[in-house]
Amino acid sequence: MARIAKVIDLPSIIKLNKAEGKISAQLIQILREAVQQGNLQAGDPLPASRELAKTLGIARGTIIETYDQLIAEGVLEARARQGTFVSHILKSPSSQAISIQSIDSDNLTDAAQAYAQIFKEFKPLAHRPFAVSVPIGRTQPRDVWRKFGNRFRACGVAAPSGYDDPQGVYALRSAIADYVRRSRSVQCEPEQIVITSGIQQALYLCSQILLTKHDAVWVEDPAYRGTTAILENSLQHLQISRVPVDEDGILVHTGIELAPHARAAFVTPSHQYPLGMPMSLARRAELVEWAKQQRAWIIEDDYDSELRYIGQPFPALHAMAPDRVIYLGTFSKVLFPSLRLGYAVLPKVLVAAFCGLRALIDRHPPSADQHVLGAFIQEGYLERHIRRIRHVYAENRQQIIQLIDRYIPKTQAFIESGDQGMHMVLWFANSVDDLKIARLAGESGVSVKAISPTFSEASQRSGLILGLGDFDVDQLEQAIQILSKLINDEHQKNSLHPNPNL
Ligand SMILES: Cc1ncc(COP(=O)(O)O)c(C=O)c1O
């Protein structure tokens, strides 16, 4: 296929005042400023003089005069048989951007500074062991995903169209309603489902719609940073009660002691994040009982419940109180995170509000992938895919456990037991700084997350979250050897110079 040369769309930058005259002087000034401000960058091609003159409705000679002047100033350069370009010898736009940044950061609001920090925290890890949710090798959706894409995008339902429904494409909602009924015992109608940009957006919608300032909320301790970061930053004066978990899940009686009238509880009942155990039936019943009495909401984050390796996945809590539970699911784990598609199953009374806020944030999720995914689910490929990756992740998990057993002494680090999910936890046996190990590991080519940011200040623990991507055994072995050395070095340092504060 012939390549289409990239030519900068100058008319959108150029606003001429023809009544004022001196058109060439105006043009020179506009183009000079566009280059200084980085709107035109070194190497950008400019339109041919004839074409630009026609678009702007001015004489071609004026354009030639303008280009000649800017070439003489060194702002533009002419290349034989190629045309006119922004000069390569200009200061690089990145250095301009940096100086703009340093001037403006003085004026940033507290919120802007907090979000800038969050941006650093949420930078994705490089796609290598042990990054979570990297669909490579056998965990990639196979050719059928590409085929469906081609089939629906070319001229089918996913072809370019106008604005769509903020609630999400009906065919996808309908496929999800069937899927969650079969696989998660969640009974709902397509009308109760709102398609979101992953669970992350759904959590944000919940925070804005269900809570008001001065409300109290329960959040598990430890918990997913994507949840705690939203609650810490998006509502002022929110009372966030971090409620500890034990092997049965959230300690409901402690939650009641801390904040009996909380408006909502954010929980991960099928697979506590990041520890991995399911919430027991008794604890679910206690939580639901409290929520019913208080008319509180339970936000059930069911992020990777499909991936249980022994026996069937645990059913969702939703069935116990469909009027009080907001059930959140995602395709980031079972398909791939860059898809950015998830869903909220809502009590009917909340649907319109979720759609309204959704419309204000981004109107609706991109429609094309919704159609592709809807068909993928409806035709049975999702469940087939899940069966396959369950097997792959189980195998990888076993592989990693064996490597940890071989290379890392239990006196230094040990694995949290568990039988589901896409990650495992490696606890440090003593007070090793997990943020430091994660940083050093990153520098040595291993992607791991520290677990300490998932805990509240009061109950800090140190360890690593290891994702179970489908990396080959050699890569996994090399990565565990690197981790083993880092942990051992840190362990030795700590035993020589124990921290008196710990
Ligand atoms: C517990 C938990 N909830 C929610 C999410 C957000 O997932 P997404 O926004 O990709 O659907 C994640 C992602 O890692 C997670 O671990």
Side-chain angles (χ1 to χ4, degrees):
M1 195 197 294
R3 281 190 61 194
I4 299 171
K6 174 193 158 214
V7 175
I8 295 298
D9 175 25
L10 278 188
S12 66
I13 298 174
I14 298 172
K15 300 279 173 285
L16 291 172
N17 184 345
K18 290 189 184 160
E20 211 175 74
K22 295 191 190 139
I23 300 293
S24 141
Q26 286 186 49
L27 253 185
I28 290 170
Q29 185 60 18
I30 289 168
L31 291 178
R32 213 187 268 132
E33 279 174 12
V35 171
Q36 278 163 359
Q37 289 163 6
N39 295 333
L40 290 179
Q41 301 193 347
D44 279 349
L46 273 72
S49 54
R50 191 185 308 277
E51 195 187 311
L52 185 58
K54 198 165 152 203
T55 324
L56 296 177
I58 59 177
R60 185 177 169 216
T62 310
I63 305 291
I64 293 173
E65 191 186 330
T66 302
Y67 282 4
D68 283 349
Q69 171 64 29
L70 291 172
I71 290 167
E73 289 179 16
V75 175
L76 303 182
E77 63 191 24
R79 292 189 211 153
R81 288 187 300 282
Q82 292 184 49
T84 308
F85 294 79
V86 178
S87 173
H88 264 112
I89 54 171
L90 288 172
K91 194 161 74 155
S92 84
S94 59
S95 61
Q96 288 179 15
I98 288 164
S99 64
I100 290 167
Q101 222 176 36
S102 59
I103 295 166
D104 286 348
S105 61
D106 293 346
N107 295 331
L108 289 183
T109 59
D110 289 350
Q113 294 187 27
Y115 285 125
Q117 257 331 99
I118 288 172
F119 174 52
K120 282 190 199 150
E121 227 185 299
F122 280 74
K123 284 244 160 84
L125 295 176
H127 295 179
R128 54 196 187 193
F130 298 94
V132 185
S133 307
V134 182
I136 55 167
R138 295 170 297 169
T139 57
Q140 262 173 346
R142 290 196 175 152
D143 272 1
V144 65
W145 182 262
R146 182 176 48 77
K147 280 187 198 144
F148 273 32
N150 292 345
R151 184 180 346 146
F152 293 122
R153 273 175 222 271
C155 54
V157 282
S161 66
Y163 286 119
D164 235 317
D165 186 346
Q167 192 168 354
V169 161
Y170 187 84
L172 175 59
R173 289 188 277 125
S174 166
I176 291 174
D178 286 346
Y179 165 67
V180 291
R181 183 179 31 75
R182 281 194 306 272
S183 71
R184 308 295 305 124
S185 313
V186 172
Q187 303 287 342
C188 67
E189 295 160 20
E191 288 70 20
Q192 287 172 262
I193 295 180
V194 175
I195 306 297
T196 60
S197 232
I199 286 186
Q200 194 59 49
Q201 188 184 46
L203 289 166
Y204 184 76
L205 295 172
C206 288
S207 76
Q208 298 302 300
I209 288 169
L210 306 178
L211 308 174
T212 58
K213 61 181 180 178
H214 302 294
D215 270 348
V217 285
W218 297 2
V219 187
E220 293 169 321
D221 191 5
Y224 173 54
R225 263 303 283 156
T227 306
T228 52
I230 286 178
L231 297 174
E232 285 161 12
N233 290 284
S234 61
L235 275 173
Q236 282 182 336
H237 312 297
L238 189 69
Q239 183 201 320
I240 304 169
S241 294
R242 296 299 300 270
V243 184
V245 298
D246 66 8
E247 64 280 5
D248 286 328
I250 191 165
L251 287 164
V252 176
H253 67 87
T254 309
I256 294 173
E257 280 163 23
L258 292 170
H261 306 299
R263 177 88 66 167
F266 287 77
V267 288
T268 45
S270 306
H271 185 222
Q272 204 282 332
Y273 186 88
L275 303 184
M277 70 287 181
M279 194 185 294
S280 68
L281 202 58
R283 210 53 74 69
R284 290 174 187 224
E286 252 184 277
L287 181 63
V288 165
E289 180 61 26
W290 165 79
K292 283 184 175 165
Q293 271 177 15
Q294 292 299 322
R295 298 174 56 78
W297 301 109
I298 297 172
I299 293 94
E300 176 173 21
D301 176 350
D302 207 25
Y303 65 108
D304 68 0
S305 53
E306 293 95 339
L307 297 170
R308 181 149 189 250
Y309 307 123
I310 304 164
Q312 289 301 308
F314 298 104
L317 180 148
H318 181 268
M320 296 173 76
D323 289 345
R324 301 255 50 99
V325 174
I326 287 97
Y327 174 87
L328 309 181
T330 182
F331 297 99
S332 291
K333 309 290 175 179
V334 290
L335 277 170
F336 51 98
S338 64
L339 184 60
R340 302 311 307 135
L341 285 176
Y343 49 97
V345 178
L346 301 166
K348 282 186 182 154
V349 65
L350 291 175
V351 172
F354 272 68
C355 293
L357 181 55
R358 176 79 230 232
L360 290 189
I361 295 175
D362 61 350
R363 290 263 189 187
H364 62 77
S367 309
D369 275 337
Q370 294 187 66
H371 284 290
V372 174
L373 179 58
F376 191 78
I377 301 172
Q378 203 63 64
E379 296 192 25
Y381 288 99
L382 180 67
E383 275 142 301
R384 228 177 284 177
H385 178 70
I386 291 174
R387 279 197 293 278
R388 192 176 67 239
I389 63 171
R390 211 179 263 156
H391 177 69
V392 174
Y393 285 124
E395 222 176 85
N396 290 348
R397 189 186 156 80
Q398 228 19 64
Q399 202 85 260
I400 296 172
I401 291 174
Q402 282 167 12
L403 288 167
I404 290 176
D405 275 350
R406 187 176 333 149
Y407 289 106
I408 304 181
K410 289 203 173 46
T411 49
Q412 294 184 3
F414 56 92
I415 298 163
E416 173 83 37
S417 61
D419 60 6
Q420 60 173 336
M422 288 185 69
H423 71 267
M424 55 204 279
V425 175
L426 182 68
W427 293 114
F428 292 144
N430 63 15
S431 50
V432 169
D433 178 349
D434 56 0
L435 289 167
K436 181 175 171 194
I437 299 270
R439 181 174 49 76
L440 294 175
E443 288 164 11
S444 311
V446 179
S447 293
V448 281
K449 272 195 193 161
I451 202 166
S452 56
T454 66
F455 282 93
S456 66
E457 289 275 314
S459 48
Q460 282 288 303
R461 284 189 73 182
S462 171
L464 298 176
I465 297 174
L466 309 184
L468 311 179
D470 191 25
F471 300 98
D472 66 44
V473 189
D474 292 345
Q475 278 178 297
L476 292 177
E477 180 159 11
Q478 215 180 4
I480 290 290
Q481 283 175 322
I482 291 171
L483 279 186
S484 153
K485 179 165 178 346
L486 290 173
I487 296 169
N488 186 49
D489 287 354
E490 213 47 31
H491 192 79
Q492 300 304 333
K493 267 190 232 159
N494 277 5
S495 38
L496 285 176
H497 306 287
N499 184 342
N501 299 322
L502 295 167

